[in-house]
Every structure is written in C-alpha cells, then in structure tokens.
C-alpha cells in the first residue's frame, strides 16, 4: 500500500447497497450523511441489472450477460438486460453528480470482484465461469477494462473526488475452499489455486493505480494476508465474524499500513446500541493486539456490517448516521 499510505480515508462510510429505487433520494442520503467519505449507492430493489452481479456485468467490455431463470449467463451480444443495467448505472451517476457539486475528498465506488463474478456468472452451457480457467482470465481482463472506463467516468463527473475502488468479493472464501456449487448442486467446483486468485485480484486492482483499492466481504474467514499481497489498501468486513484466530493476520495488516473497514453497525433491522458500544469490540481488539490507541482513527473506517438493501429506508438512514457517530466516539475516546 506504499503509494496509498498518504491517502486520507474518511472515518465512516457505507458498504454500497441501499433500500428502495430512488437514485436521487439515495444519493442525497449518502452525501448528506458522509460529508467526508460518500459512496455511489446501489439500489438492487429495482430488479435484475441493479443487483450486484448484473450491475457489474453491465460494466464488462466485449462480454455481455443476460438473465436466465438460473441467474446471469454470458451471451454473444448486449441485450435488454445489459442495456437496463447500464441505464440504471447512468441514473445513479447522474444523481451522485447532482449531490457532489464542488465536492473534494475521498469517494467510493463499488463493483463485484473477479472471483465472485466468476462464481455467479454462467457460461453458455449453464455452468459457472469458475469452472473454466480461460473464462476466468477473460472475465478478469474484461472487468479490469470496464472498471478503468467506469472510474474515468466517475472522475469526469466529480473532478474533485479522490476515488476509492471497492471490489466486492463475498464468494472469495468459497472459491478458495472449493465450496462453490455446480449447476446441478450435487458437487462443487474445484478450489482455485491461491496464487491464481491473488494474481487476478492484483491485475484488476492495478486499473486503479492512482488510488486505493478496498476489498469487501461479509463472509467468514476473509483472507486478509492474500488480499494485502494482491494490493488491497484496505479490507472491509463484518466485524462480528472475527475470531481470536484472526488476531495475528489483523495485527500484521494494521502494522503493515492496511486500513480496516470495520463493519460494526448491524445491517439487519433492529435496535442499535449507543455509538460507543458499537465500537467497543474494536477497542477490545486493539488492546488484545497491543496496538497504540492513537492508531485507531488512522487505521479504522466504521461501516455497516454489510449492504443495507434489505432494510427500511428509515433504518438505513439511522444506521449510516450511527456509523458517523460511532467513528466520532472512536476518535474522541480511543482508550
């Protein structure tokens, strides 16, 4: 992360998805809540093409996908599903641009990473792209080019932004462990070699050479060390899924300059603790690792545990505001 070590991340932000289908309302909420680290909202409730796989499939270059009853499948030409995905992304960018006039500072955009994409996009025969090493390489190359164009478009619309690219990889652990089910459901795809996984992630992350890349997963056993080697400047995760066996890799990550996007605010609807209580686990982890409390605000960005697409708009607003308050508590009282 050396080239990104001087980058100033915000103290709190969201993961990506929001409830509802109103792009302007989502952009207004996000930019109003996170004045120093907004993000481009995703609204999957609009339907296929607004979901995380369809949205990223719409960004691919010279590869196209359409919706089948079993999910998203690669095809020969752009059809209505690709056009719909691109149209919604355009609406979201219009809304973001409207609410970020004169904005200067970090701005996060999200896309699905190459391995979660390979695990969830089908080849023409119905099997996951993950089953074909050549298809995985083509997908990663197409994604990299699509992200390069997408980042350039966001930068054009919000010229004062310092872009942060988040790659969503919830299927990554399953890919590494050979736990991704085949189309029949009766077997699983072979585990992908860790060096191949790391190499593809590094190649995709390299499109954002001028800025930091965050890798997000709200699955258990996030491979922190692999992500750091692949060039992630930060790792975003569900804090409640950590166990003490993760201590060593997290300590090494922090000491190596990797930022933690700690998902401490529940992404399922329910009562919230006070802001100080939400980050108590982070303080406890810090003490256990013997890290300096003064490092906390420099090393941690507070987020929800995962996306907020499944909650009410009211809870989403409350949860995002709670992230800001919890981050303030962490900065004001690091001990």
């Amino acid at each position: 992360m050396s080239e990104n070590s001087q980058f100033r991340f915000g103290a709190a932000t969201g993961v990506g998805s929001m409830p509802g289908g109103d792009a302007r309302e989502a952009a207004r909420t996000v930019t109003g809540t996170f004045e120093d680290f907004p993000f481009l909202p995703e609204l999957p409730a609009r339907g296929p093409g607004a979901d995380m796989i369809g949205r990223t499939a719409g960004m691919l270059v010279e590869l196209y996908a359409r919706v089948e009853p079993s999910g998203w499948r690669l095809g020969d030409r752009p059809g209505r599903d690709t056009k719909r995905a691109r149209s919604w992304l355009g609406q979201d960018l219009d809304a973001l641009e409207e609410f970020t006039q004169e904005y200067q500072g970090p701005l996060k955009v999200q896309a699905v990473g190459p391995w979660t994409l390979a695990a969830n996009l089908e080849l023409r025969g119905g099997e996951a792209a993950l089953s074909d090493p050549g298809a995985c390489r083509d997908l990663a190359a197409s994604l990299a080019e699509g992200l390069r164009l997408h980042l350039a478009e966001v930068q054009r619309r919000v010229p004062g932004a310092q872009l942060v690219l988040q790659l969503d990889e919830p299927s990554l652990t399953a890919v590494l462990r050979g736990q991704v089910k085949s189309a029949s459901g009766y077997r699983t795809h072979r585990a992908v070699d860790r060096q191949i996984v790391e190499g593809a992630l590094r190649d995709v992350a390299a499109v954002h050479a001028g800025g930091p890349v965050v890798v997000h997963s709200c699955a258990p056993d996030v491979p922190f060390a692999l992500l750091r080697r692949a060039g992630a400047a930060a790792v975003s995760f569900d804090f409640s899924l950590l166990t003490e066996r993760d201590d060593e890799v997290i300590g090494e990550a922090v000491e190596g300059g990797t930022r933690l996007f700690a998902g401490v605010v529940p992404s399922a609807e329910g009562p919230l603790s006070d802001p100080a209580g939400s980050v108590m686990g982070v303080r406890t982890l810090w003490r256990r690792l013997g890290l300096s409390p003064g490092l906390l605000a420099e090393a941690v960005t507070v987020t929800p545990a995962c996306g907020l697409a499944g909650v009410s708009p009211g809870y989403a607003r409350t949860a995002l505001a709670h992230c800001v308050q919890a981050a303030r508590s962490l900065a004001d009282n690091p001990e």
Side-chain angles (χ1 to χ4, degrees), residues 135-157:
C136 290
R137 286 192 294 274
D138 291 347
L139 201 50
S142 174
L143 175 63
E145 180 60 15
L147 287 176
R148 189 184 65 74
L149 297 171
H150 177 53
L151 290 164
E153 175 65 10
V154 179
Q155 193 75 74
R156 184 186 69 77
R157 289 169 175 261

Side-chain angles (χ1 to χ4, degrees), residues 128-319:
L130 188 66
S131 64
D132 181 335
C136 290
R137 286 192 294 274
D138 291 347
L139 201 50
S142 174
L143 175 63
E145 180 60 15
L147 287 176
R148 189 184 65 74
L149 297 171
H150 177 53
L151 290 164
E153 175 65 10
V154 179
Q155 193 75 74
R156 184 186 69 77
R157 289 169 175 261
V158 193
Q162 299 161 315
L163 296 184
V164 177
L165 171 61
Q166 176 178 303
L167 297 175
D168 291 322
E169 281 284 14
S171 301
L172 184 59
T173 301
V175 167
L176 289 165
R177 292 184 172 174
Q179 294 171 339
V180 176
K181 282 191 163 54
S182 65
S184 68
Y186 293 123
R187 60 181 186 83
T188 56
H189 294 291
R190 185 178 304 160
V192 181
D193 181 272
R194 295 180 82 86
Q195 288 185 314
I196 293 173
V197 169
E198 184 184 319
L201 281 167
R202 185 183 297 109
D203 290 346
V204 172
V207 303
H208 193 38
V213 173
V214 184
V215 179
H216 166 75
S217 173
C218 44
D221 298 317
V222 175
F224 283 87
L226 183 152
L227 296 178
R228 289 178 60 217
R229 289 194 305 271
V235 180
S236 170
F237 57 97
D238 180 345
F239 193 86
S240 70
L241 298 178
L242 288 185
T243 66
E244 290 196 20
R245 72 170 184 270
D246 296 310
D247 281 6
E248 189 177 340
V249 289
I250 288 185
E252 287 173 357
V254 172
E255 288 175 344
T258 303
R259 193 171 184 91
L260 305 182
F261 279 43
V264 296
V265 176
S267 50
E269 207 139 346
L272 295 172
S273 70
D274 64 296
S278 292
V279 287
M280 187 166 29
V282 180
R283 291 193 185 95
T284 302
L285 171 68
W286 233 245
R287 283 196 293 274
R288 209 163 64 225
L289 295 175
L291 295 167
S292 161
L295 259 181
L296 264 173
E298 292 301 311
V300 175
T301 292
V302 175
T303 74
C306 208
L308 296 171
V311 302
S312 67
Y315 179 80
R317 287 192 294 271
T318 301

